[in-house]
Amino acid sequence: MSESETVEVTGHLMDSGILSRILDDIREYGGDYVIDKFVVGHEAVDTSKATITVTAEDDPSLQRLLMRLQTRGVNQVDPGQAEVAVCDLDGVFPDGFYSTTNLATKVRLGGRWVDVANPEMDCGLVVEHDEAGEITRVITLPMSDVRVGMSVVTGASGIRVQVPIVDKSSESFGFMESDVSSEKPQAVLVRQVAEGMLEAKAAGKKVLWVGGPGVVHTGAAPAMVAMVDAGFVDVLFAGNALATHDIESSLYGTSLGVDLAQGRGVEHGHEHHIRALNTIRKQGSIRNAVDNGVLTGGIMHALVKHGKEFVLVGSVRDDGPLPDVYTDVIEGQRAMRAALPDVGFCLMVATMLHSVATGNILPASIPLVCVDINPATVTKLADRGSSQARGIVTDVGLFLEQLAIELVPDYRRA
């Protein structure tokens, strides 16, 4: 006995290699396939379409396979109706729950398609109703937030996803030809990122930055401050380290005890970061330190001065931490999710953990660029499912200096 379903996928299937990955997934999940129809686009700008019959040994195996294929943008030809089960434990989805992708998603309920309000990978789909029992919306919800009595979609039936189709006739930022770039001319990469930011701002969207302490260590904080001042940093996600070393730099001129102007350690410099932490903790918050004239420069000062949002989520290795840092990671995740509405572009610089964490909660429709000197950092995002991620392997300090020059014409580092 076996179960089968006919599925279809549309996109740049050949040059992206997506078709081969789909077939690999089927075999990896213990299934089999027959390609029923394959229409190949004639020109480079044309999309292709494949219709495939997939088979698994039983229905649970088939449902898991169909969910996996939807991460690649594969949909059932006849999706039917979604099935729903009620949660009976806080923090636990019903068995067989639909595991979400970060793609734009629709759910067929009561004979109509309902858009999922906030696409996010590795969550469940919760159906909300009004007092009359009418469906009001469908949302993604992380496992930690599901509660007894919530209605959760189970199985892969009644669900469609849509992969953002890149317009290959356009020379806009979206068409960077490779997922990771290390050999392209730096000026070209910087210009593409700048254009992506400008397009987001022109559309009334926010630019989200995800940063690590390397921004400060490499001496790029002044460049980032210039971009905050110019309106190109609307939201910052970071940990305790970036904010602490930025504040240390402002108060003492050092980062981890190293003089940023001369590049060498200073006497008692190893104490500076902990003294910086103590100074801010005495004030009660970074905002209070700015308002009271204690913190007068740096990235965090600029964010507060311009009323920009920042979410700092800590880790077990943090000193202090700063009073603004979320030490409960679940609360930190909630704060990050709450800051995502209206984000239209995301730039990640010099941080692996926060980049992966942010990539996990971003919809695939938001352009995403990760910049790091370590190639492993910029490839991990795509490996974790952020298919829209583009990576640039380069020195973060030099990259941000050039980006500031591109975006802020009167910026010139002394």
Side-chain angles (χ1 to χ4, degrees):
M1 297 294 293
S2 62
E3 297 288 335
S4 62
E5 190 71 53
T6 302
V7 298
E8 60 187 2
V9 60
T10 301
H12 297 290
L13 306 180
M14 301 295 288
D15 51 4
S16 68
I18 190 66
L19 181 59
S20 64
R21 289 196 287 272
I22 289 169
L23 301 182
D24 287 344
D25 284 345
I26 295 171
R27 300 302 293 168
E28 182 179 335
Y29 274 63
D32 204 350
Y33 63 87
V34 174
I35 299 177
D36 303 310
K37 188 176 182 180
F38 188 27
V39 180
V40 181
H42 286 200
E43 305 295 336
V45 297
D46 295 337
T47 59
S48 301
K49 182 176 181 179
T51 304
I52 307 169
T53 296
V54 297
T55 305
E57 63 179 0
D58 52 37
D59 187 64
S61 298
L62 179 63
Q63 295 302 311
R64 288 193 296 273
L65 173 56
L66 293 173
M67 291 182 205
R68 171 59 183 175
L69 295 181
Q70 280 202 316
T71 67
R72 309 288 191 190
V74 179
N75 291 304
Q76 297 176 54
V77 172
D78 182 11
Q81 294 280 331
E83 298 180 0
V84 176
V86 177
C87 290
D88 55 12
L89 285 173
D90 287 347
V92 180
F93 289 128
D95 291 343
F97 72 95
Y98 177 80
S99 179
T100 59
T101 74
N102 61 358
L103 303 173
T105 305
K106 292 178 181 288
V107 183
R108 188 170 177 81
L109 294 160
R112 67 186 179 95
W113 287 102
V114 181
D115 289 322
V116 174
N118 55 329
E120 178 182 336
M121 71 174 72
D122 300 332
C123 291
L125 290 175
V126 172
V127 182
E128 297 185 341
H129 304 80
D130 60 19
E131 293 181 357
E134 295 295 323
I135 296 170
T136 55
R137 62 174 184 164
V138 179
I139 62 171
T140 59
L141 200 68
M143 187 180 300
S144 58
D145 289 351
V146 72
R147 295 292 178 263
V148 168
M150 288 183 172
S151 298
V152 176
V153 175
T154 58
S157 298
I159 298 172
R160 282 191 175 277
V161 298
Q162 182 176 353
V163 177
I165 300 297
V166 176
D167 181 4
K168 293 202 172 188
S169 65
S170 169
E171 295 183 359
S172 67
F173 166 78
F175 185 42
M176 292 176 65
E177 294 179 353
S178 56
D179 289 342
V180 178
S181 301
S182 59
E183 297 181 351
K184 286 185 178 180
Q186 181 89 346
V188 173
L189 298 174
V190 170
R191 192 173 306 116
Q192 288 179 324
V193 173
E195 288 171 356
M197 290 185 169
L198 289 166
E199 289 174 8
K201 299 298 290 185
K205 299 292 186 179
K206 297 178 181 178
V207 176
L208 166 65
W209 286 59
V210 185
V215 173
V216 180
H217 300 334
T218 59
M224 188 167 176
V225 168
M227 288 182 278
V228 175
D229 291 340
F232 291 104
V233 183
D234 296 299
V235 185
L236 171 67
F237 290 171
N240 185 63
L242 183 149
T244 297
H245 297 307
D246 171 67
I247 292 167
E248 176 193 343
S249 172
S250 177
L251 296 179
Y252 297 100
T254 60
S255 178
L256 283 178
V258 176
D259 188 312
L260 290 171
Q262 300 182 14
R264 63 170 181 262
V266 299
E267 188 175 3
H268 304 300
H270 64 283
E271 302 175 0
H272 287 177
H273 83 284
I274 200 70
R275 295 194 181 280
L277 283 164
N278 198 58
T279 298
I280 303 302
R281 288 173 69 91
K282 185 176 181 180
Q283 294 296 313
S285 71
I286 296 172
R287 179 173 296 280
N288 288 347
V290 173
D291 292 343
N292 294 335
V294 173
L295 182 62
T296 58
I299 297 169
M300 304 311 297
H301 171 270
L303 291 170
V304 171
K305 181 177 70 174
H306 293 286
K308 302 302 183 181
E309 189 171 3
F310 56 86
V311 180
L312 308 177
V313 183
S315 70
V316 70
R317 68 181 182 273
D318 289 338
D319 292 321
L322 290 164
D324 304 78
V325 171
Y326 287 91
T327 55
D328 183 324
V329 294
I330 299 299
E331 291 299 323
Q333 289 174 0
R334 290 173 181 149
M336 291 167 68
R337 290 187 178 97
L340 292 184
D342 296 324
V343 167
F345 189 91
C346 179
L347 177 63
M348 302 174 169
V349 285
T351 173
M352 178 182 289
L353 295 181
H354 280 79
S355 292
V356 171
T358 304
N360 286 353
I361 65 174
L362 276 181
S365 57
I366 297 177
L368 165 59
V369 179
C370 179
V371 184
D372 203 286
I373 196 68
N374 183 358
T377 300
V378 299
T379 57
K380 188 173 286 292
L381 278 168
D383 292 341
R384 286 283 301 148
S386 298
S387 58
Q388 82 275 32
R390 297 294 177 264
I392 300 173
V393 180
T394 190
D395 178 84
V396 168
L398 296 177
F399 184 89
L400 293 183
E401 283 288 322
Q402 293 177 8
L403 184 61
I405 292 171
E406 191 75 30
L407 290 171
V408 189
D410 59 351
Y411 173 75
R412 287 293 185 273
R413 186 77 178 273

